[in-house]
Amino acid sequence: MKSKYKVEKISPELAFKIWSKSPNSSIFNNPQFLSFYEGSTFFGAYKGDELLCCWPILLDNDEFKIPDFFYYLGPFWSNKFDKIPNHSKFSLTNDIYNCYINKFINKFKKIHFQLHYSLNDIRAFDWFNYNLNDSKKFSIKNRYTALIKNLKSKKPDKLLSDYRYVRRYEIKNFDNYKKNIIISDLNSTDAVDLYLENNYNTDKNKDDQIKNDILKLIDISKKGYGDTISYKEKKTNKLVMFSLVLFDNSSVNLLINCATKEWKKKGIMAWSLNEKLKTYQKKYDIFDFNGANSPNRGDDKHSYGAKESLFFDLKYNIK
């Protein structure tokens, strides 16, 4: 019997049409954004003639690739998804996800993706090859991000009151120092050096890859997909703080936020983040810290009143 579902390759233009109204849209699964990367490929799942789900992939030697600084690179559903009644939603998602899995297993060597935090039903992947003890299973890893929601409705004093006391103190105290810095045009090389100074790797090849990833993201952000902010010390003209954010339909995504040790101690991180939130809340309703998966970084992000949100990282080695 012919299946009522099918999965086939689709154009980035068609995928973007679905993405633009999807409840699971993110900058990281935006087909236009992904088209700046080599190997960007898009698959659509149909029920009859209706396109219900899109799955963007970055391919490298027939393997799914998730670049550094990326989150939620995986499937997104059409805006009709939330309107599907609960009695039908499970069987629909299960059938469509299984169509994707079977398609990918026959085409690629390795599947690796992340689900958007709005997609927490992973049973189709958890149950794949169910009761077949000698068969391969998906590796499923729970991950967390930190979100400040309802940003548009928060007045600046309410925004500030949600912070931990030490953050409020740092912001107030920074009034003593901000006269010594200026907003500057971003020098990409200086920005990468500052990031690597804060995130040192013993593996030079890894550092080189991260450097290239950051330079690419800075370049893409200049095309209207994000924003960079940098501050220099007036006295020395030295870069002391740099941040990079990307935008999607409703969210600001914080990819990089770093400063020199000296200026961190003075509170520039808390002050500059608060300045960003006040600016971006005029247009965006969610501020996504993009990951809260280590004790120190998680605690820092939650100190701004951000709430944890679960998402999943899934892998399947085919060959």
Side-chain angles (χ1 to χ4, degrees):
M1 185 174 69
K2 187 177 179 181
S3 173
K4 59 182 175 180
Y5 302 106
K6 64 179 179 180
V7 169
E8 60 186 33
K9 194 177 288 189
I10 60 174
S11 69
E13 292 78 16
L14 180 55
F16 181 77
K17 185 177 179 180
I18 300 298
W19 179 91
S20 63
K21 296 181 180 180
S22 171
N24 326 116
S25 63
S26 164
I27 183 61
F28 305 104
N29 58 24
N30 179 346
Q32 291 185 347
F33 172 78
L34 293 174
S35 292
F36 290 105
Y37 287 83
E38 290 184 9
S40 60
T41 309
F42 307 90
F43 286 88
Y46 290 83
K47 180 181 180 182
D49 294 327
E50 185 175 19
L51 178 57
L52 289 177
C53 185
C54 298
W55 195 318
I57 303 164
L58 295 180
L59 288 173
D60 183 13
N61 292 321
D62 286 332
E63 295 185 359
F64 288 35
K65 177 185 177 182
I66 300 180
D68 288 315
F69 307 104
F70 269 53
Y71 289 79
Y72 326 129
L73 177 50
F76 56 88
W77 291 79
S78 81
N79 63 339
K80 296 181 180 180
F81 180 70
D82 285 339
K83 299 172 186 175
I84 298 169
N86 287 333
H87 63 75
S88 299
K89 186 174 286 188
F90 167 73
S91 60
L92 174 72
T93 56
N94 192 63
D95 288 343
I96 283 183
Y97 282 149
N98 274 284
C99 279
Y100 272 120
I101 295 168
N102 290 320
K103 181 82 169 182
F104 294 158
I105 282 175
N106 290 322
K107 286 184 70 69
F108 306 120
K109 296 177 183 177
K110 181 179 179 180
I111 299 172
H112 183 200
F113 64 97
Q114 293 180 342
L115 289 173
H116 189 265
Y117 54 78
S118 62
L119 295 172
N120 282 331
D121 188 350
I122 59 169
R123 288 174 290 181
F125 308 103
D126 192 25
W127 293 344
F128 186 67
N129 284 332
Y130 192 69
N131 280 338
L132 299 176
N133 293 330
D134 295 330
S135 298
K136 292 180 181 179
K137 309 286 187 182
F138 273 89
S139 167
I140 301 172
K141 189 173 184 179
N142 60 299
R143 307 292 286 166
Y144 288 88
T145 190
L147 304 175
I148 299 178
K149 293 185 175 182
N150 303 315
L151 199 55
K152 287 182 180 179
S153 64
K154 291 181 185 288
K155 294 184 178 180
D157 57 341
K158 170 58 178 169
L159 190 66
L160 199 63
S161 70
D162 287 340
Y163 301 169
R164 191 177 296 162
Y165 169 77
V166 66
R167 299 293 171 243
R168 300 198 303 270
Y169 171 78
E170 286 175 332
I171 292 166
K172 183 178 180 181
N173 189 58
F174 197 75
D175 282 340
N176 299 317
Y177 302 105
K178 64 183 182 182
K179 63 180 179 294
N180 297 321
I181 59 171
I182 55 170
I183 292 179
S184 66
D185 292 334
L186 180 68
N187 180 299
S188 298
T189 301
D190 290 345
V192 170
D193 289 344
L194 180 59
Y195 177 85
L196 293 176
E197 179 184 313
N198 279 265
N199 300 272
Y200 175 74
N201 284 293
T202 55
D203 184 346
K204 185 180 183 302
N205 290 332
K206 180 64 174 174
D207 273 355
D208 288 343
Q209 182 59 56
I210 288 175
K211 177 180 178 180
N212 291 334
D213 287 341
I214 294 174
L215 291 174
K216 188 173 187 69
L217 286 166
I218 290 173
D219 183 58
I220 295 173
S221 74
K222 293 176 181 178
K223 302 179 188 301
Y225 292 91
D227 190 19
T228 58
I229 298 174
S230 59
Y231 293 95
K232 285 186 176 180
E233 197 174 50
K234 286 182 180 179
K235 185 176 180 180
T236 64
N237 203 37
K238 178 184 176 182
L239 180 68
V240 296
M241 194 266 161
F242 154 63
S243 70
L244 169 65
V245 299
L246 295 177
F247 306 128
D248 54 50
N249 287 337
S250 60
S251 306
V252 182
N253 299 270
L254 181 63
L255 273 67
I256 297 174
N257 198 39
C258 58
T260 63
K261 290 181 180 178
E262 177 188 357
W263 281 88
K264 271 185 186 176
K265 292 177 181 178
K266 293 176 180 178
I268 194 171
M269 299 286 276
W271 173 79
S272 63
L273 182 59
N274 186 57
E275 292 298 300
K276 282 192 278 287
L277 287 169
K278 288 190 295 184
T279 298
Y280 297 138
Q281 70 176 167
K282 297 170 185 176
K283 187 174 180 180
Y284 300 97
D285 209 35
I286 298 173
F287 190 89
D288 190 339
F289 282 91
N290 289 136
N293 293 294
S294 65
N296 290 337
R297 291 184 180 181
D299 183 67
D300 176 70
K301 293 171 181 182
H302 291 303
S303 71
Y304 295 96
K307 182 175 175 54
E308 78 284 352
S309 189
L310 175 69
F311 68 98
F312 292 96
D313 182 282
L314 299 97
K315 294 180 182 179
Y316 187 92
N317 292 321
I318 300 163
K319 299 179 182 179

